[in-house]
């Protein structure tokens, strides 16, 4: 899977106990892009066990009325989840993560594949039992349109 | 057949599913996540974990097969071939880690039928070998209601 890494110049790129104290609504999380090819879909199918042929067979995707072979919704969710892990550096800090699957990512059978842009923004910060919790809205875009709806996670802030 | 009588139904516990180190690495590679906690045992231990940590969406690897087995059961009558994943939520009670032996219990939480489609919400309660909660997942699946609507 190719794509651009998270921007190391972004001050919010990695949470520390010090930087976590300054986290506030509107902060941008590290963003990046990914090129998804058919090989990536096959790899994800094998790793996840989701062998639904709409994710690798043009014939079956066509019969299902789809515009082409589409990426697994759970793969898009996982890619957006990388915004969280890149930011927190601690998967144990993620308390919840959920999304709707609103639009498919169509992956052509070529060397370029589909470009997906991933980003996140702090929607709010609240106190919970003496800890600070950031509510993060995540975005995955394909051809300029969002493919995840209401993608949201709760992250326990360090410190 | 798919009807309201299934709501509240609880399936028999499935598992245990043993979370393997190489499975975590394989899954992390498949989602393109190079975070050291998913790959490097020393890094995971330095961060206070007993073994490699699984990426946030990893629980689908073992909950979806349990859900699939239920939906393919002719007794339930679900149109599996035309199913779409509507939404997914996961609440984490603690991180999933290599070496965990996890049991999944599926609960049929909600069934709505609207505009010719069934919308089925299944909840998976995932617990470890000691019976402690690890994760709670909610999966909403959509399928054409067909003739039994």
């Amino acid at each position: 899977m190719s794509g651009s890494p998270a921007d190391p110049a972004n001050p919010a790129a990695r949470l520390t106990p010090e930087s976590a104290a300054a986290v506030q609504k509107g902060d941008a999380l590290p963003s990046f892009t990914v090129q998804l090819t058919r090989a990536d879909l096959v790899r994800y199918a094998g790793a996840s066990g989701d062998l639904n042929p709409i994710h690798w067979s043009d014939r079956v995707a066509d019969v299902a009325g789809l515009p082409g072979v589409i990426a697994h919704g759970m793969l898009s969710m996982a890619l957006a989840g990388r915004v969280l892990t890149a930011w927190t550096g601690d998967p144990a800090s993620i308390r919840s993560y959920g999304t709707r699957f609103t639009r498919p990512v169509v992956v052509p059978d070529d060397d370029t594949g589909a470009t997906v842009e991933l980003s996140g923004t702090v929607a709010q910060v609240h106190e919970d039992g003496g800890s600070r919790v950031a509510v993060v809205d995540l975005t995955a875009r394909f051809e300029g349109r969002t493919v995840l709806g209401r993608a949201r996670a709760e992250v326990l802030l360090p410190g | 057949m798919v009807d309201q009588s299934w709501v509240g139904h609880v399936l028999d516990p499935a598992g245990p599913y043993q979370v393997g180190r190489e499975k975590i690495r394989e899954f992390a590679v498949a989602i393109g996540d190079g975070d050291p906690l998913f790959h490097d045992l020393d890094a995971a231990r330095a961060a206070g974990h007993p073994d490699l940590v699984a990426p946030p969406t990893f629980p689908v690897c073992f909950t979806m097969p349990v859900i699939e087995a239920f939906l393919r059961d002719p007794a339930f009558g679900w149109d599996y071939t035309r199913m779409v994943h509507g939404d997914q939520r996961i609440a984490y009670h603690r991180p999933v880690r290599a070496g965990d032996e996890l049991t999944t219990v599926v609960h049929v939480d909600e069934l709505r039928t609207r505009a010719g489609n069934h919308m089925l919400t299944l909840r998976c309660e995932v617990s470890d070998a000691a019976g402690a909660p690890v994760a709670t997942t909610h999966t909403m699946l959509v399928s054409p209601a067909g003739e039994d609507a």
Side-chain angles (χ1 to χ4, degrees):
Chain A
M1 190 181 297
S2 60
S4 75
D7 177 7
N10 183 339
R14 198 73 154 185
L15 275 182
T16 63
E18 294 72 34
S19 68
V23 168
Q24 58 183 344
K25 179 179 176 178
D27 284 358
L29 275 63
S31 59
F32 60 96
T33 63
V34 164
Q35 298 294 131
L36 279 185
T37 64
R38 289 284 175 91
D40 294 319
L41 302 194
V42 170
R43 186 188 292 271
Y44 183 79
S48 70
D50 184 345
L51 302 177
N52 190 327
I54 61 171
H55 304 303
W56 48 266
S57 165
D58 285 296
R59 177 179 57 83
V60 175
D62 185 56
V63 168
L66 296 167
V69 162
I70 64 171
H72 305 72
M74 284 307 305
L75 176 55
S76 298
M77 183 177 177
L79 294 175
R82 282 172 50 188
V83 174
L84 296 174
T85 51
W87 186 50
T88 67
D90 177 13
S93 68
I94 302 169
R95 303 214 306 188
S96 69
Y97 178 24
T99 188
R100 291 180 177 182
F101 304 107
T102 52
R103 197 170 284 125
V105 174
V106 181
V107 179
D109 183 12
D110 62 23
D111 295 332
T112 310
T115 304
V116 184
E117 303 165 68
L118 296 313
S119 58
T121 308
V122 176
Q124 57 164 287
V125 179
H126 59 83
E127 298 278 334
D128 184 1
S131 301
R132 292 175 79 229
V133 175
V135 177
V136 175
D137 284 337
L138 296 163
T139 305
R141 285 180 181 277
F142 166 64
E143 294 182 337
R145 303 170 82 190
T146 57
V147 298
L148 299 177
R150 296 187 193 179
R152 179 164 268 206
E154 290 178 295
V155 176
L156 190 64
L157 295 173
Chain B
M1 73 185 230
V2 183
D3 63 29
Q4 290 295 323
S5 68
W6 286 94
V7 175
H9 187 73
V10 181
L11 276 64
D12 291 337
Y17 173 88
Q18 186 172 62
V19 180
R21 253 181 221 162
E22 299 307 335
K23 190 67 192 179
I24 286 178
R25 289 181 176 132
E26 179 191 9
F27 188 82
V29 167
I31 66 169
D33 200 328
D35 193 302
L37 298 191
F38 306 147
H39 297 276
D40 181 343
L41 192 55
D42 291 337
R45 287 183 173 154
H49 298 284
D51 211 307
L52 294 186
V53 181
T57 60
F58 182 84
V60 295
C61 292
F62 56 88
T63 57
M64 284 308 279
V66 181
I67 287 174
E68 180 175 342
F70 168 60
L71 295 179
R72 285 189 184 278
D73 183 345
F76 187 60
W78 184 256
D79 185 351
Y80 192 84
T81 56
R82 289 190 290 167
M83 181 184 81
V84 174
H85 200 166
D87 66 47
Q88 179 69 51
R89 282 182 289 140
I90 308 172
Y92 308 94
H93 309 302
R94 71 155 172 85
V96 171
R97 296 177 290 232
D100 281 339
E101 298 208 348
L102 303 175
T103 298
T104 297
V105 177
V106 177
H107 299 248
V108 180
D109 267 6
E110 187 179 30
L111 174 68
R112 289 183 295 152
T113 304
R114 189 183 296 164
N117 284 311
H118 288 312
M119 282 161 283
L120 177 70
T121 300
L122 301 173
R123 169 169 49 97
C124 295
E125 296 289 353
V126 178
S127 56
D128 63 18
V134 174
T136 302
T137 73
H138 289 84
T139 303
M140 199 275 278
L141 302 163
V142 183
S143 191
E147 294 171 0
D148 63 9

